[in-house]
Amino acid sequence: MELQNPDASPEETIPNTTEPNEVSSNDIAFESRIDLSPLQEAIEAIKKEVAKLIVGQNEMVELLIISILTNGHSLIEGVPGVAKTISAKLLAKTMDIDFSRIQFTPDLMPSDILGTSIFNVKSNEFEYKKGPIFSNLILIDEINRAPAKTQAALFEVMAERQITMDGTEYKMTPPFLVFATQNPIEQEGTYRLPEAQLDRFLFKINVDYPNLEDEIQILVENHERQNQFDFNSVKPILNASQIIAFQELVKQVLVESNLLSYIAAIVHNTRTNANLYLGASPRASLAILNAAKANAAINGRDFVTPDDIKRCTKAILKHRLVLTPEREMEAFTVDKVVDQILETIEIPR
């Protein structure tokens, strides 16, 4: 094909230099540089499996999936009966990995979680008996019901994915993830989580009541199942090696330098904000970066956008920030502060 100038002679025609099979630079720009289709297919399959028994709660399920892809822990907070524990268990069923559930109680000791050294009479030596924390996915139910010394037992394993016992380091087998639930309403017999432990959670996921349509659907499905809850109907989709491979794939998602500056500006604002007594640490910056990559990947993009960053920021910052006493007395919330920060900082173009 030739581009013809109507006023030009036949000799002055301008040839089109693009060959029939040649791909233009504009086409190349929109081609995905990473094959994300296997990841997307797996995520959709996981959502369908969880939806067999859970109605709604799509935001919680998707954030937990992002948490898995970024190799991060998640704290799930909500009133009793909104399927916090069941959702985490069902998500674990979709993965062919070791699963361990620990029910936190006021009398729980660190050795009940980490394990303890027991004297073997036959060998005349101490043997280390591993606790339930040695698994791939740990569900800690009612995490705020254990006292401070038990909470402190989780510090090392959540941050470094290892346990030091009697001078010996024991590495956790990857993937290693902690999902914890807590009830924000009931205060009697509970212990506030230390800030150092809260900072180790990638997300704090607030679980709300279902809307009217979802509530009706819950009743309909429960009636049809005759109040039976068959966990075995949920089939595993991913194994440990596939999860690790997807985690490595997410790390390859591209982030432009101006978006890195955008993340840094958001976190820096929390440290200078007059409404806050405690701002976010560099761990929060890394969390936003990694979560934004995972959010882009599950949406089929190999690059991060400002919307990916904004989508994950609130769930990452809300448990890391502490309001000033004056703002607390005024019934101000951390969510409002985060919203103000996101509105104030200019979005990169």
Side-chain angles (χ1 to χ4, degrees), residues 1 49 60 63 75 83 107-109 124 127 150 175 200 291 300 315 334:
M1 179 179 177
E49 291 297 317
M60 172 178 62
L63 287 176
L75 177 63
D107 61 345
L108 196 71
M109 300 294 289
N124 203 31
E127 293 182 356
T150 306
R200 284 162 167 76
V334 169

Side-chain angles (χ1 to χ4, degrees), residues 117-182:
S117 295
I118 299 175
F119 185 73
N120 189 325
V121 179
K122 292 183 178 180
S123 63
N124 203 31
E125 292 179 348
F126 281 95
E127 293 182 356
Y128 177 49
K129 298 296 182 182
K130 295 181 178 180
I133 199 70
F134 284 87
S135 189
N136 294 123
L137 179 57
I138 319 298
L139 172 60
I140 299 178
D141 202 17
E142 300 287 348
I143 189 173
N144 57 339
R145 291 197 175 276
K149 60 182 176 182
T150 306
Q151 299 286 354
L154 296 172
F155 284 7
E156 181 184 13
V157 70
M158 288 181 66
E160 303 175 38
R161 288 173 167 77
Q162 69 175 31
I163 286 174
T164 304
M165 186 67 64
D166 297 330
T168 303
E169 293 181 356
Y170 298 90
K171 299 290 185 181
M172 311 306 290
T173 303
F176 175 77
L177 301 160
V178 174
F179 291 164
T181 69
Q182 70 175 12

Side-chain angles (χ1 to χ4, degrees), residues 255 258-268 284-286 288-290 292 304 309:
V255 187
N258 60 343
L259 292 179
L260 296 177
S261 300
Y262 180 53
I263 294 172
I266 292 172
V267 174
H268 180 74
S285 302
L286 296 173
I288 295 173
L289 172 62
N290 295 328
V304 171
I309 295 170

Side-chain angles (χ1 to χ4, degrees), residues 278-349:
L278 178 67
S281 69
R283 185 183 284 160
S285 302
L286 296 173
I288 295 173
L289 172 62
N290 295 328
K293 287 182 179 181
N295 190 71
I298 64 177
N299 285 286
R301 285 181 282 102
D302 64 349
F303 59 92
V304 171
T305 67
D307 287 338
D308 294 320
I309 295 170
K310 295 175 71 175
R311 190 271 168 97
C312 301
T313 295
K314 187 174 289 187
I316 289 171
L317 293 183
K318 66 172 60 179
H319 58 293
R320 291 180 162 92
L321 308 180
V322 178
L323 293 170
T324 60
E326 295 79 14
R327 282 292 184 241
E328 287 185 348
M329 292 177 63
E330 295 171 2
F332 215 67
T333 65
V334 169
D335 284 348
K336 288 183 180 179
V337 176
V338 176
D339 287 337
Q340 288 179 357
I341 291 173
L342 292 176
E343 291 172 2
T344 302
I345 298 176
E346 184 179 356
I347 300 174
R349 300 296 180 187

